[in-house]
């Protein structure tokens, strides 16, 4: 089974974005449990980080495919 993310800078940035996404989700849950509407901001940050994660995953896979076909 191939790794979730290809090696290289795209993998590292994708993992960082995934960690930010997970932390933002936790912060949103805590915020909503405490009755604060600030959780909406955390949900938006989680969505942005999720999109960044997918971007870097797809970018890394495309780079790996391109290097496999040209090399």
């Amino acid at each position: 089974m191939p790794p979730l993310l290809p090696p290289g800078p795209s993998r590292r940035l994708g993992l960082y974005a995934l960690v930010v996404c997970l932390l933002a989700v936790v912060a949103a849950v805590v915020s909503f449990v405490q009755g604060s509407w600030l959780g909406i901001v955390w949900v938006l940050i989680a969505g942005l980080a999720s999109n960044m994660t997918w971007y870097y995953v797809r970018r890394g896979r495309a780079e790996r495919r391109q290097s496999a076909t040209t090399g």
Side-chain angles (χ1 to χ4, degrees):
M1 184 171 145
L4 177 63
L5 298 171
S10 292
R11 179 179 181 152
R12 183 174 54 248
L13 291 171
L15 287 174
Y16 288 157
L18 180 62
V19 169
V20 169
C21 179
L22 294 175
L23 290 174
V25 168
V26 170
V29 169
V30 169
S31 182
F32 283 130
V33 166
Q34 292 179 349
S36 173
W37 286 96
L38 188 63
I40 293 172
V41 174
W42 289 114
V43 169
L44 294 174
I45 292 172
L48 177 66
S50 173
N51 287 342
M52 289 175 61
T53 300
W54 281 115
Y55 170 77
Y56 285 117
V57 167
R58 293 182 70 198
R59 178 177 159 188
R61 287 181 183 167
E63 288 173 357
R64 187 174 60 188
R65 273 191 226 120
Q66 184 179 13
S67 67
T69 58
T70 59

